[in-house]
Amino acid sequence: EAGVAQSPRYKIIEKRQSVAFWCNPISGHATLYWYQQILGQGPKLLIQFQNNGVVDDSQLPKDRFSAERLKGVDSTLKIQPAKLEDSAVYLCASSRGQGAAEAFFGQGTRLTVV
Amino acid sequence: SQQGEEDPQALSIQEGENATMNCSYKTSINNLQWYRQNSGRGLVHLILIRSNEREKHSGRLRVTLDTSKKSSSLLITASRAADTASYFCATVSGTYKYIFGTGTRLKVLA
């Protein structure tokens, strides 16, 4: 089966600019996650979708970050305006969302804010 | 905040030796999973242990879970250079929320 697809792989922007990341999860996976991973740290959950509804966005900085999942499939994560501390790898993952399921991760988007 | 705390933060061993890393967490879980991350890549699932299990094996991997102490350990036996990576534990709640620990950076020297 095809894995989780993310694009772009790399992005360099100036502070105060906006940026968007795209994710296509594994077909049939109900649950989709966006994580932020700062160098040397573990992934931090930003937002969790179940189908096209938000389950948890408690750690999403809503003044600058937004995310949507259209028709319960693809998802986009946007940052506007970006800050230097947003430099990180943004990982998308999906899971079946039932039973004892594993999460499948994309390769991530490495964002550098200068 | 991160759910799990792992130790050691970094571990360096010789090829053929065993590597043990530990994870502690704070709240009740549905299951606990371990993932590997090679430099600059996404995370890959290694093994899952349910909250009612105490030990699980998969190839060279052995994971234990002690829910009374809210802790888990991952043992990699007969390590290889290819095992060099960062290892993360992830606790999974009933809402299928995966919360990752701080990670252990393992380096296996040939």
Side-chain angles (χ1 to χ4, degrees), chain A residues 36 61 64-65 79 81-90 111 113:
Chain A
Q36 179 193 58
R64 298 184 302 105
F65 286 63
I79 307 175
K83 293 184 176 181
L84 296 177
E85 58 260 37
D86 298 332
S87 293
V89 176
Y90 291 84
L111 174 67
V113 183

Side-chain angles (χ1 to χ4, degrees), chain B residues 73-105:
Chain B
S73 68
L74 174 68
L75 169 69
I76 304 173
T77 60
S79 61
R80 306 166 181 168
D83 295 328
T84 295
S86 291
Y87 292 81
F88 296 91
C89 66
T91 53
V92 185
S93 67
T95 57
Y96 308 105
K97 182 175 171 179
Y98 296 70
I99 301 298
F100 286 83
T102 51
T104 293
R105 293 187 303 280

Side-chain angles (χ1 to χ4, degrees), chain A residues 41-92:
Chain A
Q41 299 183 17
K44 170 188 165 185
L45 180 66
L46 293 176
I47 189 166
Q48 175 187 353
F49 291 95
Q50 181 76 14
N51 296 311
N52 60 350
V54 175
V55 175
D56 189 310
D57 63 356
S58 57
Q59 297 202 81
L60 186 73
K62 298 180 187 64
D63 58 334
R64 298 184 302 105
F65 286 63
S66 64
E68 61 180 1
R69 189 178 184 193
L70 300 174
K71 299 181 181 178
V73 182
D74 292 8
S75 177
T76 56
L77 176 70
K78 297 179 182 177
I79 307 175
Q80 182 178 12
K83 293 184 176 181
L84 296 177
E85 58 260 37
D86 298 332
S87 293
V89 176
Y90 291 84
L91 295 163
C92 179

Side-chain angles (χ1 to χ4, degrees), chain B residues 26-40:
Chain B
K26 298 175 183 174
T27 61
S28 61
I29 61 171
N30 180 288
N31 64 79
L32 186 145
Q33 303 181 20
W34 286 87
Y35 288 77
R36 183 185 71 213
Q37 185 178 38
N38 290 92
S39 180

